[in-house]
């Protein structure tokens, strides 16, 4: 539905109209839309500046999801009962560590990520992103998000692995490895260069998808970002519960996969899935090391037998 058509229905409200007034008028004029779609349309009509409307909504959403999803892990770290599921249970983060981490992450959000968030709308709409109503069907949103998870995982694997090359590690990636036993808030504890480099996989994949298919909606982007933030924070949580997703989906990386990366400082470079590390023999941990030793011994025995 074009916002121009809805705009004409609220034209008489004037510049002093409240969001509630706009929502009431939209609800009368667009009875075919659901509540979420009416709220979405009302927000853009009320703001009267699409770039600012998207920028504010994106930044607020990011902060609420990031710190909101981190909060349960902060609480869990403070309750000894959950220690039996902590992967490195002798390294519980202190309140000071969590506070210092949260402060740096918030500064990064306001200085490094905010300009990128603000520029996303004009760039993505230039390449064809839609942001009107109604929203795309659920099946299309789900399909695109699955594709983004797969594409971003590949991007993350190769660039994360590159960041472990000596000079790049020391100058860029070392900050993220401040905590050998990660916790939820540390998911985006990283240097500005790393935030931009790895963040491009999250934002760039949808933009490229838009360029290629000309079929992408901002609401899909938001759901993708929310799920990717959940994944990143949970992977840094330091906990592996019996009900964790990796026990349901064996190819899902999960906290045990990434916790080993922080503990050993090498291997397990992928973000969401295990297949890149498995296929390219970059898995971390004793089991993977044992397999590599056994394989080398088998190769040595085979050469001696020739």
């Amino acid at each position: 539905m074009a916002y121009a058509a809805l705009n004409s229905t609220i034209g008489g409200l004037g510049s002093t109209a409240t969001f509630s007034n706009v929502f009431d008028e939209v609800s009368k004029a667009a009875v075919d839309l659901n509540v979420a779609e009416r709220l979405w349309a009302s927000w853009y009509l009320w703001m009267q500046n699409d770039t600012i409307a998207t920028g504010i909504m994106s930044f607020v959403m990011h902060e609420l999801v990031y710190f909101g999803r981190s909060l349960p892990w902060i609480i869990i770290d403070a309750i000894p009962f959950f220690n039996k599921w902590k992967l490195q249970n002798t390294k519980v983060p202190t309140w000071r560590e969590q506070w210092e981490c949260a402060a740096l992450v918030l500064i990064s959000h306001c200085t490094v990520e905010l300009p990128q968030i603000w520029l996303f709308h004009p760039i993505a709409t230039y390449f064809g992103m839609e942001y009107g109503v109604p929203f795309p069907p659920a099946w299309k949103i789900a399909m695109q998000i699955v594709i983004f998870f797969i594409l971003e995982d590949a991007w993350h694997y190769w660039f994360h692995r590159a960041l472990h090359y000596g000079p790049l590690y020391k100058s860029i990636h070392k900050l993220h490895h401040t905590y050998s036993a990660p916790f939820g808030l540390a998911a985006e504890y990283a240097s500005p260069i790393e935030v931009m480099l790895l963040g491009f996989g999250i934002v760039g994949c949808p933009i490229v998808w838009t360029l290629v298919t000309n079929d992408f909606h901002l609401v899909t982007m938001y759901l993708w970002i929310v799920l990717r933030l959940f994944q990143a924070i949970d992977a840094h949580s330091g906990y592996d519960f019996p009900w964790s997703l990796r026990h349901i989906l064996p190819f899902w990386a999960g906290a045990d996969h990434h916790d080993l990366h922080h503990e050993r400082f090498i291997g397990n470079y992928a973000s969401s899935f295990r297949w890149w590390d498995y296929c390219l023999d970059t898995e971390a941990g004793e089991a993977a090391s044992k397999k590599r030793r056994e394989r080398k011994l088998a190769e040595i025995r085979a050469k001696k037998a020739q």
Side-chain angles (χ1 to χ4, degrees):
M1 178 178 291
Y3 285 124
L6 287 175
N7 242 325
S8 64
T9 69
I10 65 168
L13 293 177
S15 58
T16 59
T18 64
F19 177 80
S20 178
N21 295 146
V22 174
F23 178 73
D24 289 341
E25 291 302 315
V26 169
S27 298
K28 294 174 186 176
V31 294
D32 56 319
L33 300 179
N34 61 42
V35 174
E37 290 168 336
R38 296 201 300 271
L39 286 168
W40 181 281
S42 300
W43 169 251
Y44 279 95
L45 290 167
W46 183 59
M47 288 297 296
Q48 291 295 300
N49 185 308
D50 296 343
T51 298
I52 294 177
T54 299
I56 292 173
M57 189 161 53
S58 301
F59 185 74
V60 171
M61 180 207 71
H62 185 269
E63 299 313 293
L64 288 176
V65 173
Y66 188 85
F67 290 104
R69 182 56 186 163
S70 297
L71 182 59
W73 297 116
I74 296 172
I75 296 170
I76 286 171
D77 272 328
I79 302 174
F81 171 78
F82 294 102
N83 196 250
K84 57 188 172 183
W85 290 299
K86 188 166 178 60
L87 293 159
Q88 299 183 59
N89 56 19
T90 60
K91 300 178 182 178
V92 179
T94 65
W95 287 109
R96 180 174 180 176
E97 285 177 326
Q98 298 202 57
W99 172 257
E100 291 176 348
C101 177
L104 186 139
V105 168
L106 184 58
I107 291 170
S108 176
H109 286 178
C110 294
T111 56
V112 180
E113 296 189 30
L114 185 57
Q116 300 173 61
I117 289 172
W118 216 261
L119 289 171
F120 175 77
H121 183 94
I123 293 173
T125 52
Y126 174 80
F127 287 115
M129 182 189 74
E130 297 289 337
Y131 59 96
V133 288
F135 297 153
W139 68 265
K140 182 179 288 188
I141 293 173
M143 177 197 71
Q144 292 178 353
I145 289 174
V146 169
I147 291 171
F148 298 155
F149 263 112
I150 294 170
L151 293 176
E152 189 279 332
D153 184 68
W155 175 277
H156 191 101
Y157 175 86
W158 288 105
F159 279 89
H160 186 192
R161 185 172 176 178
L163 288 175
H164 276 264
Y165 169 67
L168 294 179
Y169 178 83
K170 291 178 181 178
S171 60
I172 300 174
H173 191 51
K174 188 176 181 179
L175 179 64
H176 185 65
H177 278 273
T178 298
Y179 307 105
S180 59
F183 46 94
L185 280 168
E188 292 186 355
Y189 186 87
S191 73
I193 296 175
E194 180 173 347
V195 169
M196 289 187 286
L197 183 63
L198 296 183
F200 184 81
I202 299 172
V203 178
C205 288
I207 290 177
V208 172
W209 175 267
T210 304
L211 180 62
V212 173
T213 67
N214 198 34
D215 183 15
F216 184 64
H217 195 282
L218 181 59
V219 76
T220 305
M221 181 68 178
Y222 282 170
L223 291 172
W224 153 239
I225 292 293
V226 168
L227 291 174
R228 182 61 178 83
L229 282 172
F230 269 53
Q231 183 279 325
I233 294 164
D234 290 358
H236 287 82
S237 68
Y239 289 87
D240 184 40
F241 296 111
W243 55 85
S244 294
L245 185 57
R246 69 110 175 173
H247 296 292
I248 302 171
L249 300 176
F251 53 83
W252 185 254
D256 73 311
H257 183 268
H258 197 65
D259 203 274
L260 271 174
H261 172 77
H262 275 262
E263 184 180 11
R264 305 297 177 88
F265 292 89
I266 193 168
N268 288 5
Y269 300 113
S271 57
S272 301
F273 306 111
R274 295 175 183 260
W275 49 61
W276 283 104
D277 287 295
Y278 176 81
C279 294
L280 297 175
D281 197 25
T282 54
E283 291 179 297
E286 289 299 330
S289 298
K290 183 180 179 181
K291 286 181 182 178
R292 281 190 282 269
R293 287 195 300 269
E294 290 174 349
R295 187 167 61 247
K296 287 179 180 179
L297 287 172
E299 290 173 356
I300 292 170
R301 293 193 193 100
K303 287 181 180 179
K304 287 182 178 179
Q306 290 177 352

